[in-house]
Amino acid sequence: MNPLENELDYPWGDALPEAGRARDVAADVRWIRMPLPFALDHINLWLLRDRVDGREGWTVVDCGIDRAEVRDCWETVFAQALDGLPVLRVLVTHMHPDHVGLAHWLCERWQAPLWMSMTDYAVARLWSGSSVADSSAEGSGPSGGGAARHFARHGLADPQALDMIRARHDYYVRLVPGMPSRFHRLMHGQEVSIGGRGWRVIVGYGHAPEHVSLWCPDLGTLISGDMVLPRISTNVSVFDLEPESDPLRLYLDSLSAYDDLPGDTLVLPSHGRPFRGLHRRIAQQRAHHAERLDEVLAACTQPRSAHDLLPVLFRRKLDMHQLSFAMGESIAHLHALYFQGSLRRILGEDGVYRFQKI
């Protein structure tokens, strides 16, 4: 546990749910975990006891990626963790594969509706379509031809790395092969009744187009998705889909939406362990990004590309999956300083964007 984690309170310590089983974390709220084939090797999912149109059952929050082993884990959950009751609806916090990948399967298997924000539903439906799986497609996120060109404009010149990014053009489609054709829209400030309790929708930006968190005052519980994580910093990236964006500013501004939540709020994050210390964790995140922005600014006394700044922002060896997101994060930090007027942007004769302190 790092020093920042020591500042948070973990009610269940190091205890984790067993595979295919659930752990109760609040009244009518259960915690399950699904595997991920990445360095970040798990995602937390949540089961909320529900009642819809007189039917008793469960709302599932987030889904896991579409892989055979994850479907098998779900089958075990259906058999052991639902008390013999059905899934009544599927609620997805955002469009990243580990959250939405199996939404189509869960919705079809249980004839349950999908609840999601409009923007994230639209992007997930776009990226899970066959056109984006084309190796030359633009606007394809962290992988594919468009991503390779985007990262090359920001200084990534290694031919092998660019070839590997192009080769991953079907990355999203493999993990999210389809989306339900209909959905129920979630909007900021909306109150969703789940099991007779109100859950307030809090929309955040920067990590995903229109990320949904859920706050239940009756339970003092926040399902934070990826907006607030206890151990790692939420990825905030500039990708090819929106190459002139300023997502870090959007993300930091979005954290203000949690200001009115009580200090003893139980936070249920998508990765890591449930914790208390929401406001302390948000303060840590603000301090972390302020420090990184200062480091980037100090490094840009001479023109620097996003690729030049990877050693400044990341002190560890990056695999290919991590490289794409690291490039996106590096661009996001440069853009935050550029749009606030602290850096100027220079397009070199080699077609690469570099940034320099004003």
Side-chain angles (χ1 to χ4, degrees), residues 48 61 91 93 115 186-194 196-204 211-225 254-262 265 278-279:
L48 309 182
V61 180
L91 194 153
T93 59
W115 291 53
L186 293 171
M187 300 178 66
H188 182 71
Q190 175 183 356
E191 182 173 290
V192 180
S193 178
I194 302 176
R197 295 185 178 91
W199 291 78
R200 188 177 90 206
V201 174
I202 302 174
V203 166
H211 181 294
V212 167
S213 299
L214 295 168
W215 159 244
C216 181
D218 288 350
L219 297 176
T221 297
L222 171 71
I223 296 177
S224 65
S254 293
L255 294 178
S256 298
Y258 304 104
D259 285 350
D260 66 338
L261 272 59
T265 293
L278 171 66
H279 300 300

Side-chain angles (χ1 to χ4, degrees), residues 64-67 71 94-104 116 120-121 123-130 170-180:
I65 60 173
D66 191 340
R67 288 176 68 121
R71 292 192 188 207
H94 62 293
M95 46 72 62
H96 292 159
D98 49 336
H99 297 262
V100 77
L102 275 173
H104 68 104
M116 199 171 176
D120 276 59
Y121 172 79
V123 175
R125 186 139 187 212
L126 171 67
W127 284 8
S128 63
S130 58
D170 60 347
Y171 165 78
Y172 194 88
V173 174
R174 283 187 283 110
L175 302 179
V176 191
M179 286 290 294

Side-chain angles (χ1 to χ4, degrees), residues 21 30 58 61 79 105 124 131 159 168 179 186 231 234 236 251 261 303 311 344 352 354:
R21 296 186 178 274
R30 292 179 175 177
W58 298 90
V61 180
W105 178 74
S131 62
R168 285 158 51 94
M179 286 290 294
L186 293 171
R231 188 170 188 271
T234 299
V236 178
Y251 173 72
L261 272 59
R344 64 190 180 105
V352 172
R354 294 177 178 86

Side-chain angles (χ1 to χ4, degrees), residues 125-314:
R125 186 139 187 212
L126 171 67
W127 284 8
S128 63
S130 58
S131 62
V132 175
D134 187 321
S135 62
S136 63
E138 301 286 350
S140 54
S143 304
R149 288 186 287 275
H150 173 62
F151 294 142
R153 284 192 295 271
H154 286 276
L156 181 60
D158 179 8
Q160 183 178 10
L162 291 171
D163 283 345
M164 292 178 69
I165 291 171
R166 292 187 194 98
R168 285 158 51 94
H169 59 88
D170 60 347
Y171 165 78
Y172 194 88
V173 174
R174 283 187 283 110
L175 302 179
V176 191
M179 286 290 294
S181 59
R182 296 177 178 85
F183 80 113
H184 187 115
R185 184 178 185 180
L186 293 171
M187 300 178 66
H188 182 71
Q190 175 183 356
E191 182 173 290
V192 180
S193 178
I194 302 176
R197 295 185 178 91
W199 291 78
R200 188 177 90 206
V201 174
I202 302 174
V203 166
Y205 304 95
H207 175 69
E210 193 179 4
H211 181 294
V212 167
S213 299
L214 295 168
W215 159 244
C216 181
D218 288 350
L219 297 176
T221 297
L222 171 71
I223 296 177
S224 65
D226 280 349
M227 286 295 292
V228 185
L229 302 174
R231 188 170 188 271
I232 61 174
S233 177
T234 299
N235 178 265
V236 178
S237 287
V238 175
F239 291 130
D240 173 45
L241 180 68
E242 195 180 359
E244 293 292 322
S245 61
D246 186 7
L248 183 54
R249 185 58 47 204
L250 290 175
Y251 173 72
L252 293 172
D253 289 349
S254 293
L255 294 178
S256 298
Y258 304 104
D259 285 350
D260 66 338
L261 272 59
D264 62 351
T265 293
L266 175 64
V267 182
L268 306 182
S270 291
H271 309 284
R273 295 168 292 151
F275 69 96
R276 287 190 171 91
L278 171 66
H279 300 300
R280 182 64 194 142
R281 183 56 183 150
I282 288 174
Q284 291 174 357
Q285 284 294 283
R286 291 191 184 280
H288 165 79
H289 285 295
E291 181 180 346
R292 291 292 179 267
L293 288 169
D294 285 345
E295 291 173 345
V296 169
L297 190 61
C300 288
T301 54
Q302 299 296 320
R304 304 292 185 194
S305 71
H307 185 261
D308 292 334
L309 292 172
L310 291 184
V312 174
L313 292 169
F314 302 94

